[in-house]
Amino acid sequence: MTTTVPTQRSVLVFCASSSSCDPAYHAAAARLGDALARAGDILVYGGGALGSMGAMADAALAQGGSVVGVIPHFMRELEWAHPALTQLQLVEDMHERKREMLRLADAIVALPGGSGTFEELFEAITQKRLGLFTKPIIIFNQNGFYDALFSLLERSIEERFMNEKHLEIWHSVDDIAEVLPAIHAAPEWPADAIRFATV
Ligand code: AMP
């Protein structure tokens, strides 16, 4: 059985704030923003104006899409927030931001990024492991960026820190065009996943 995802989905994307990485990462993020807007989906993300985050939001807005940013006050004060989003939700801190972003999400996509992206992705994976979040998590493995992460997760399963079933928490795609189809194709995740959360 595949996951039932609403017709107008809110797709939460974690991606890089870096302006210094290979521009190919920004270009892929922009393609995803464009595709989400064309599909009529709402883009939800961390609300930043820089790097892949800014490129993705700009592309979605340019295509007439709806973009919701969730950003802590202190980041806005640093002028990190994108100035032209459909909606900017201000939250107290990083914890509230993740909670709110996950609450809004019908699906999650992680693109290449740094510690902020990893932190958000791991919170989502852990919540799904516990059955507290059940929606699709798609990882865009651009240029094999996430190969090392998959190796680490597989080792964690081999060494029985995690269960083999946990391999179904996330799905990896190699082409940005495969992200939206992968959301639809993701198998349903059981709400009672807590039963096999431990090994
Ligand atoms: P990183 O991958 O380390 O660049 O972190 C990106 C993630 O952390 C994003 O998904 C954001 O939610 C958050 N974040 C980190 N830096 C910024 C920033 N300058 N502006 C907005 N959000 C940021």
Side-chain angles (χ1 to χ4, degrees):
M1 207 194 317
T2 51
T3 309
T4 315
V5 184
T7 337
Q8 191 184 38
R9 302 168 294 197
S10 288
V11 177
L12 169 60
V13 183
F14 305 138
C15 63
S17 59
S18 172
S19 302
S20 308
C21 62
D22 188 328
Y25 293 117
H26 299 157
R31 277 188 62 196
L32 179 61
D34 181 84
L36 286 168
R38 285 175 193 272
D41 291 332
I42 299 167
L43 166 61
V44 180
Y45 81 118
L50 300 174
S52 298
M53 302 176 81
M56 173 177 68
D58 287 343
L61 291 167
Q63 203 50 248
S66 296
V67 184
V68 177
V70 184
I71 199 162
H73 287 282
F74 82 90
M75 284 192 183
R76 192 194 203 185
E77 280 154 23
L78 291 169
E79 299 185 352
W80 288 3
H82 193 295
L85 301 181
T86 316
Q87 192 187 330
L88 187 69
Q89 285 193 32
L90 290 169
V91 291
E92 280 312 308
D93 54 34
M94 301 293 275
H95 295 291
E96 189 186 344
R97 177 201 236 179
K98 275 184 292 174
R99 202 166 47 244
E100 181 60 10
M101 290 199 296
L102 285 175
R103 191 185 68 78
L104 293 172
D106 295 312
I108 290 179
V109 180
L111 307 185
S115 58
T117 299
F118 302 153
E119 192 232 354
E120 292 167 336
L121 174 60
F122 269 94
E123 166 120 10
I125 288 174
T126 305
Q127 296 238 8
K128 193 162 166 179
R129 178 176 173 181
L130 295 169
L132 300 171
F133 178 83
T134 58
K135 314 287 174 54
I137 299 177
I138 311 301
I139 299 176
F140 176 40
N141 190 22
Q142 186 170 5
N143 297 336
F145 179 84
Y146 279 114
D147 285 351
L149 180 72
F150 295 139
S151 298
L152 186 62
L153 285 163
E154 279 156 23
R155 175 155 181 186
S156 174
I157 288 163
E158 270 162 35
E159 296 212 23
R160 307 207 33 84
F161 292 111
M162 290 171 70
N163 194 314
E164 196 148 316
K165 284 187 191 158
H166 295 143
L167 281 171
E168 284 179 36
I169 290 177
W170 60 87
H171 293 87
S172 164
V173 299
D174 298 332
D175 185 331
I176 197 76
E178 291 169 16
V179 168
L180 299 190
I183 291 175
H184 277 297
E188 195 145 340
W189 183 252
D192 63 350
I194 189 94
R195 284 186 303 106
F196 54 89
T198 54
V199 188

